[in-house]
């Protein structure tokens, strides 16, 4: 190999801008409560999201208990059941997964992985968390107001969402709408930060095509969120006005409880369009960060470069773009021109192409890799299994004609839990274990983690696989109880009971997880700075956990992509991104 | 895509459109020379465009789906001077005021970059006053509709109930944007006059040093609010 100059300036361009100004808080409040350090904000986001997520988990128990043993638990009445369904769904999707992936992982990983000292606007970032926190408080408050929280379903379809007779139509629905609007405002503050940090504050040598896929996934998901949440924001405003001022945006002339309601001439379908214009991209807001993170986990723990990096990046971008033109596949039974149904079925099936590409690439990365069955790797494999399963059933639901009989059955519930609930949760768990040594500087307890993995993995399958069968038999979703039907055999009830037992076990396993996280943060074994021999910048920091400002005196310079694993002719099986070329290839060649 | 460690042929980037792809392929910044605040404002404005886009799409949808006749804008929004009603006269003046304020804003940005403190101050202040005038006229328009014509968000004597609903909602949301802009224009007039941007005085909350680029960021927002008004004007008053 020809001689390469031993001088970084021949590999990376000089710095374009000076160092970022950081505000170092002096007070306790400024350091831990109103912290402007993205890493602290990340932990605040994650802790809040997981805390409210636990509420959603308990609500899933409520539903399951009722479905398995109807009329045994007297505290569950039909209204309460519907409220549990609604709050469970909304919390899980928006307040847990969206907040955790973007606010939690985004805040922690983006600056570290692109080599920035912090987000570009730390103060705004701090406000973003507190606005999110306010949204969570508003949401939680709706459990305690008169009439309780809303029971309209997480899709909040009018007219029923705001008519008397639906639980929570007194105040619950308003608190829900207000909370969503506040959430979106807070998210926008954070999201702008993430996008600008990635576009404009990378370190020297960090080109877009050298960024770890984690950053790509979070980046595109954030862009989707910035363009999709507006539709939800607008519909939340309009529905609030329908409730508060008696306008008729979504409300047609309608009889309710024997009286004519005060509304006239509104359009309920308009809400559905707005909601799903947000709602479908939302699926990918949750999925894309998971795609990105799992790519990195698989590559690192299989000691192999990710297969088809560029293809992976473009697949993320194309999926993101397409996700804005498929929304009405959620409305096949709402009444639509058949040509529209045809259009949306086509676009939906086209998304399967880049998605399948990604799955092949993950499998090909594993192929002949040096697979270490570490906890993050186990969760990554579990993700693949759930995601492939959910992707398959997605093909059924994407076809308008096949979807119609399956619509509003447990088949749908099984599908979306596989693909957008359990699969991303697998990645969340894997990612937490993966970055835990960096975030806390300590190891988690391996035994507890393995227990957590196996129970969650097997248990979740036992919960959601049988739901497909129940759905095909015709068991509807969002039903408190099914009695006096002849189409269901008695065994359906047995299946329901077994699902509930599995769900309870899975739920309790999460307590082990939380215990492990909290306990190990204080008592765990000390972890080294780069325990997985990973290449990306967050593992090359001077301190573990990284301090305010992330890196030492000098920002790292990046010379290569993040996937230099098992490079032939190099002694170590990995080369960190900030190792200059001369110290590896040229040495090896000489 | 092997390991990507070869020395780059030339680390120089090309200027102009030819260099656009180079910039995206390069490190550090995708938009060369664009400060963070400006990039952030642009992205925010795209997001805000989606909000107004959804509002306008919803307006069109409810206007199509309601069964009652839609009130005629040129009659509803007419003012009479000495007996003869002049259609849309108030809106014409409002639009004129707002467009003028865009002009003063653009000049303020220009003089800001020349570090001409007092001219910048007066232009910003004028922009703020024009914006406040716009809001004031909107208040007048609303009170006339509510008090004299009996238009309410939930109904009106002229026709479809949705007329009042969308009108108050969308112009209200736009007016809210203008008001926020006016507040920031006053704040920045103060900062310019006190020399905060010349001395890079740390911001009250952000603790970051001030500079004249912030005027341009504010200008972007202000022009956007103007542009949205043009659409609202077309869709609400001319359709
Ligand atoms: C232990 C794990 C979980 C269990 C046992 C569980 C169980 C359930 C059940 C029983 C339903 C209601 C079915 C019906 O009656 O219609 C449901 C609905 C739902 N779940 Fe889960 N779930 C779990 C985790 C998650 C997660 C992680 C998400 C995140 C995306 C999620 C999102 C949803 C959504 C969006 C709905 C629909 C709510 C609605 O119909 O309005 N779930 N879940
Ligand atoms: Cu969808």
């Amino acid at each position: 190999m020809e001689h390469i100059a031993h001088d970084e300036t021949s590999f990376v361009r000089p710095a374009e801008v000076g160092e970022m100004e950081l505000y170092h808080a002096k007070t306790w409040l400024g350091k831990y409560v109103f912290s402007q350090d993205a890493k602290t904000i990340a932990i605040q986001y994650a802790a809040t999201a997981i805390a409210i997520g636990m509420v959603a988990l308990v609500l899933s128990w409520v539903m399951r208990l009722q479905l398995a043993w109807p009329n045994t638990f007297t505290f569950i009445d039909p209204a309460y059941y519907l409220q549990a369904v609604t709050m469970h769904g909304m919390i899980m999707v928006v307040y847990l997964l969206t907040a955790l992936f973007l606010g939690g992982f985004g805040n922690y990983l983006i600056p570290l992985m692109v080599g920035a000292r912090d987000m570009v606007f730390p103060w705004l970032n701090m406000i973003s968390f507190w606005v999110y926190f306010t949204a969570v408080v508003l949401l939680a408050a709706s459990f305690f107001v008169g009439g309780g929280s809303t029971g309209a379903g997480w899709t909040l379809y009018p007219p029923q969402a705001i008519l008397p007779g639906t639980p929570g139509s007194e105040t619950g629905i308003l608190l829900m709408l207000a909370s969503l609007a506040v959430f979106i405002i807070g998210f926008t503050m954070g999201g702008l930060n993430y996008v600008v940090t990635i576009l404009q504050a990378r370190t020297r040598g960090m080109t877009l095509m050298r960024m770890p896929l984690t950053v790509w996934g979070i980046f595109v998901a954030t862009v989707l969120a910035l363009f999709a949440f507006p539709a939800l924001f607008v519909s939340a405003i309009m529905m609030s006005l329908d409730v508060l001022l008696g306008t008729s945006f979504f409300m047609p002339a309608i009889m309710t409880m024997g009286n004519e309601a005060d509304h006239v001439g509104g359009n309920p379908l308009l809400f559905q369009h707005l909601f799903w214009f947000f709602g479908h991209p939302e699926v990918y807001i949750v999925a894309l960060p998971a795609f990105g993170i799992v790519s990195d986990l698989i590559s690192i723990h299989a000691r192999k470069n990710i297969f088809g990096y560029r293809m992976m990046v473009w697949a993320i971008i194309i999926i993101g773009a397409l996700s804005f033109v498929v929304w009405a596949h959620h409305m096949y039974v709402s009444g639509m021109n058949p040509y529209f149904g045809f259009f949306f079925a086509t676009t939906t099936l086209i998304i399967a192409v880049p998605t399948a590409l990604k799955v092949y690439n993950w499998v090909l990365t594993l192929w002949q890799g040096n697979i270490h069955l570490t906890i993050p790797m186990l969760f990554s494999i579990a993700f693949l299994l759930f995601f492939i399963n959910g992707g398959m059933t997605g093909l059924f639901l994407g076809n308008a004609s096949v979807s119609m009989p399956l619509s509003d059955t447990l088949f749908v519930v099984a599908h979306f839990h596989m693909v957008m609930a359990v699969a991303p949760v697998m990645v969340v768990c894997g990612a937490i274990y993966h970055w835990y040594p960096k975030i806390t500087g300590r190891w988690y307890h391996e035994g507890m983690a393995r227990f957590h993995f196996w129970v969650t993995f097997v248990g979740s399958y036992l919960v959601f696989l049988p739901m497909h069968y129940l759905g095909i038999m015709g068991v509807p979703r969002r039903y408190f109880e099914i009695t006096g039907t002849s189409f269901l055999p008695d065994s359906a009830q047995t299946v329901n009971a077994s699902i509930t037992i599995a769900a309870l076990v899975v739920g309790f396993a999460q307590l082990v997880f939380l215990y492990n996280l909290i306990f190990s943060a204080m008592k765990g074994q000390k972890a080294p700075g780069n325990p997985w021999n990973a290449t990306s910048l967050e593992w090359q920091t001077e301190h573990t956990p990284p301090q305010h400002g992330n890196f030492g005196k000098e920002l790292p310079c990046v010379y290569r992509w993040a996937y230099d694993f098992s490079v032939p002719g190099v002694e170590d099986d990995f080369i960190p991104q900030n190792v200059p070329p001369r110290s590896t290839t040229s040495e090896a060649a000489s | 895509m092997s390991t990507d460690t070869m020395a780059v042929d030339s680390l120089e980037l090309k200027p102009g459109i030819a260099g656009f792809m180079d910039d995206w392929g390069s490190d550090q910044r995708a938009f060369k020379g664009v400060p963070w605040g400006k990039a952030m404002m642009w992205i925010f404005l795209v997001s805000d465009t989606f909000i107004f886009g959804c509002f306008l799409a919803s307006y069109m949808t409810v206007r199509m789906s309601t069964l009652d006749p839609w009130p005629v804008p040129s009659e509803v929004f007419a003012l009479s001077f000495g007996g003869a009603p002049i259609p849309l006269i108030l809106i014409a003046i409002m639009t004129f005021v707002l467009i003028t304020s865009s002009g003063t804003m653009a000049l303020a940005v220009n003089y800001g970059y020349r570090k001409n403190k007092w001219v910048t101050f007066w232009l910003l202040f004028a922009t703020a006053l024009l914006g406040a005038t716009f809001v004031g006229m909107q208040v007048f328009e609303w009170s006339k509709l509510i008090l004299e014509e009996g238009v309410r968000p939930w109904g009106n004597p002229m026709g479809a109930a949705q007329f009042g609903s969308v009108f108050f909602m969308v112009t209200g949301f736009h007016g809210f944007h203008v008001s926020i802009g006016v507040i920031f224009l006053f704040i920045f007039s103060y900062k310019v006059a006190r020399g905060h941007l010349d001395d890079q005085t740390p911001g009250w909350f952000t603790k970051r040093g001030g500079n004249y680029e912030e005027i341009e960021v504010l200008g972007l927002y202000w022009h956007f609010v103007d542009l949205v008004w043009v659409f609202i004007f077309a869709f609400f008053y001319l359709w």
Side-chain angles (χ1 to χ4, degrees):
Chain A
M1 178 172 281
E2 62 191 287
H3 177 74
I4 298 174
H6 285 220
D7 173 13
E8 61 170 38
T9 51
S10 54
F11 298 104
V12 286
R13 301 167 51 254
E16 291 172 9
V17 285
E19 280 271 343
M20 185 182 285
E21 284 176 66
L22 286 184
Y23 168 69
H24 297 284
K26 283 166 208 80
T27 58
W28 183 84
L29 267 186
K31 266 187 202 152
Y32 299 105
V33 181
F34 299 106
S35 170
Q36 299 192 20
D37 181 349
K39 296 186 292 299
T40 313
I41 297 173
I43 291 166
Q44 292 173 320
Y45 254 112
T48 315
I50 292 177
I52 193 75
M54 290 310 285
V55 175
L57 181 76
V58 172
L59 290 174
S60 78
W61 290 347
V62 170
M63 294 183 275
R64 286 313 321 174
L65 286 176
Q66 165 63 26
L67 291 177
W69 301 287
N71 301 323
T72 315
F73 302 91
T74 44
F75 68 97
I76 309 175
D77 59 9
Y80 186 42
Y81 181 83
L82 289 175
Q83 291 167 323
V85 172
T86 308
M87 298 303 274
H88 162 82
M90 194 63 100
I91 292 176
M92 286 288 192
V93 174
V94 175
Y95 297 84
L96 173 71
L97 287 180
T98 307
L100 188 55
F101 271 126
L102 303 183
F105 287 107
N107 264 315
Y108 204 93
L109 295 176
I110 290 171
L112 276 164
M113 284 187 147
V114 304
R117 294 222 178 264
D118 207 321
M119 289 290 178
V120 287
F121 292 106
W123 186 78
L124 195 65
N125 208 19
M126 176 270 285
I127 295 294
S128 156
F129 167 72
W130 285 104
V131 176
Y132 163 65
F133 189 81
T134 312
V136 171
V137 170
L138 279 174
L139 184 83
S142 75
F143 287 111
F144 304 104
V145 294
S149 56
T150 176
W154 90 282
T155 48
L156 305 178
Y157 278 7
Q160 52 91 10
I162 61 177
L163 287 180
T166 305
S169 60
E170 299 88 346
T171 349
I173 181 73
L174 274 175
L175 278 172
M176 170 64 88
L177 296 171
S179 166
L180 285 172
V182 172
F183 178 92
I184 292 167
I185 293 169
F187 170 77
T188 305
M189 297 174 178
L192 291 171
N193 247 322
Y194 315 154
V195 171
V196 177
T197 305
I198 292 170
L199 285 179
Q200 298 293 84
R202 281 165 284 138
T203 188
R204 294 172 63 199
M206 181 60 87
T207 63
L208 289 174
M209 281 296 180
R210 280 180 185 169
M211 295 196 306
L213 285 166
T214 298
V215 180
W216 268 109
I218 296 176
F219 172 62
V220 177
T222 310
V223 174
L224 292 193
L226 286 173
F227 300 158
F229 274 127
L232 182 66
F233 187 75
V234 166
S235 37
I237 291 185
M238 296 205 281
M239 205 196 287
S240 309
L241 292 176
D242 278 1
V243 179
L244 286 173
L245 296 183
T247 57
S248 308
F249 290 112
F250 301 136
M251 301 296 288
I254 200 169
M255 296 288 288
T256 165
M257 306 265 172
N259 306 309
E260 216 172 301
D262 289 336
H263 301 282
V264 60
N267 189 340
L269 272 184
L270 171 61
F271 178 87
Q272 298 191 14
H273 281 293
L274 287 173
F275 182 86
W276 287 114
F277 186 79
F278 144 76
H280 188 83
E282 171 63 38
V283 174
Y284 288 97
I285 293 167
V286 171
L288 292 182
F291 290 176
I293 291 174
V294 88
S295 309
D296 284 356
L297 297 194
I298 286 180
S299 166
I300 292 171
H301 294 270
R303 315 307 299 160
K304 244 185 90 184
N305 64 312
I306 190 79
F307 190 94
Y309 172 81
R310 273 165 195 274
M311 210 195 289
M312 292 299 248
V313 170
W314 283 108
I316 289 178
I317 296 173
I318 291 170
I319 292 173
L322 283 176
S323 72
F324 279 101
V325 289
V326 299
W327 76 87
H329 62 207
H330 297 276
M331 297 167 58
Y332 289 145
V333 295
S334 301
M336 234 194 320
N337 186 316
Y339 288 108
F340 284 177
F342 176 73
F343 172 82
F344 283 105
T346 311
T347 50
T348 303
L349 295 180
I350 290 175
I351 285 207
V353 177
T355 313
L357 256 169
K358 294 191 77 72
V359 174
Y360 288 128
N361 284 356
W362 288 318
V363 175
L364 286 169
T365 306
L366 287 171
W367 183 256
Q368 296 203 327
N370 174 7
I371 300 177
H372 296 241
L373 286 180
T374 54
I375 308 286
M377 177 52 105
L378 289 174
F379 275 106
S380 306
I381 296 173
F383 161 83
L384 278 181
L385 294 176
F386 280 111
F387 189 73
I388 292 172
N389 187 317
M392 294 297 191
T393 51
L395 296 178
F396 291 71
L397 296 172
N399 279 291
S401 49
V402 187
S403 171
M404 280 187 204
L406 293 172
S407 203
D408 274 317
T409 66
L410 284 188
F411 189 84
V412 176
V413 176
H415 156 72
F416 72 68
H417 276 94
M418 284 279 179
V419 79
M420 78 159 306
V422 185
V425 165
M426 290 296 138
V427 178
V428 165
C429 297
I432 290 180
Y433 285 120
H434 178 76
W435 278 291
Y436 191 81
K438 179 54 60 177
I439 296 173
T440 61
R442 290 175 187 276
W443 279 111
Y444 49 81
H445 186 281
E446 179 80 18
M448 272 195 261
R450 282 189 187 269
F451 172 81
H452 170 227
F453 168 75
W454 285 107
V455 175
T456 310
F457 171 56
V458 178
S460 303
Y461 243 107
L462 291 179
V463 171
F464 293 110
L465 198 68
M467 274 194 204
H468 292 94
Y469 296 99
L470 291 176
I472 291 172
M473 276 193 267
V475 179
R477 76 190 270 211
R478 293 179 178 165
Y479 266 41
F480 172 67
E481 185 183 13
I482 311 173
T483 42
T485 49
S486 52
F487 66 88
L488 287 180
D490 287 345
S491 57
Q493 203 49 42
T494 321
V495 175
N496 256 330
S498 76
I499 291 180
T500 298
I501 292 168
L504 292 173
V505 174
V506 169
F508 280 111
Q510 307 316 306
L511 297 182
V512 177
F513 178 42
L514 290 186
Y515 177 78
N516 192 357
L517 293 187
I518 296 167
F519 182 79
S520 305
M522 296 176 296
K523 295 276 160 65
Q525 249 183 348
K526 283 255 183 290
N530 188 2
W532 308 119
N533 290 342
T535 58
S536 44
L537 293 180
E538 81 274 24
W539 300 104
Q540 325 302 334
T541 55
E542 204 172 278
H543 300 276
T544 297
Q547 295 177 338
H548 192 195
N550 290 347
F551 301 97
K553 274 207 188 58
E554 295 237 347
L555 282 174
C557 262
V558 170
Y559 301 92
R560 56 188 78 240
W561 69 342
Y563 301 99
D564 267 345
F565 293 106
S566 312
V567 178
V570 179
E571 202 170 323
D572 282 336
D573 78 337
F574 72 109
I575 315 173
Q577 284 190 280
N578 58 345
V579 172
R582 63 188 139 105
S583 46
T584 53
T585 38
S586 57
E587 270 166 21
S590 60
Chain B
M1 162 97 232
S2 64
T3 56
D4 226 4
T5 52
M6 290 295 109
V8 196
D9 292 344
S10 154
L11 295 168
E12 294 293 309
L13 299 168
K14 292 186 244 17
I17 298 176
F20 181 76
M21 294 312 278
D22 271 23
D23 291 356
W24 278 81
S26 83
D27 60 348
Q28 302 180 54
R29 293 190 291 176
F31 302 101
K32 299 294 175 196
V34 176
W36 292 336
K38 192 169 156 186
M40 183 176 276
M41 182 52 84
W42 268 110
I43 300 168
F44 167 72
L45 293 180
V46 179
S47 177
D48 213 14
T49 305
F50 273 74
I51 294 196
F52 279 106
C54 290
F55 270 131
L56 289 179
S58 305
Y59 158 56
M60 294 175 207
T61 315
V62 292
R63 184 162 170 172
M64 306 318 271
S65 36
T66 181
L67 299 174
D68 300 319
W70 202 256
V72 185
S74 57
E75 288 167 16
V76 182
F77 301 112
L79 276 189
S80 26
F81 291 107
I86 312 178
L88 299 181
I89 179 68
L90 179 65
I91 320 307
I93 301 174
M94 283 167 72
T95 309
F96 179 74
V97 167
L98 206 59
I99 303 280
T100 312
S101 78
S102 248
T104 53
M105 184 74 232
L107 286 173
V109 174
N110 190 319
Y111 279 96
Y113 275 126
R114 297 186 202 177
K115 304 239 159 76
N116 192 331
K117 181 170 143 184
W118 287 108
V119 179
T120 312
F121 164 76
W122 282 113
L123 284 165
L124 276 182
F125 197 67
T127 314
L129 288 182
L130 287 168
T133 313
F134 176 88
V135 178
M137 289 194 285
Q138 196 164 38
V139 171
F140 172 74
E141 181 194 30
W142 276 39
S143 3
K144 183 168 169 293
L145 283 177
I146 295 171
L147 301 175
E148 290 174 24
E149 327 263 334
V151 182
R152 299 283 184 275
W154 53 89
N156 62 72
M158 286 89 88
Q162 281 77 9
F163 171 76
S165 327
V166 276
F167 178 79
F168 289 123
M169 179 176 71
V170 177
T171 58
F173 200 71
H174 177 263
F176 174 70
H177 273 72
V178 180
S179 310
I180 297 282
V182 168
I183 293 173
F184 274 90
L185 282 166
F186 278 124
I187 292 177
F188 272 87
S189 319
Y190 171 83
K191 285 192 165 195
V192 170
R194 299 298 296 269
H196 286 189
L197 303 191
D198 294 314
D199 312 341
Q200 316 228 320
T201 314
W204 295 319
F205 297 111
T206 62
K207 307 283 191 284
R208 288 254 171 102
N211 62 54
Y212 279 101
E213 279 162 2
E214 291 167 24
I215 307 273
E216 190 186 357
V217 175
L218 183 56
L220 284 176
Y221 175 82
W222 193 254
H223 296 315
F224 171 79
V225 172
D226 262 20
L227 183 65
V228 169
W229 175 254
V230 173
F231 280 91
I232 294 180
F233 177 76
F235 282 115
F236 279 82
Y237 298 95
L238 301 184
W239 178 15

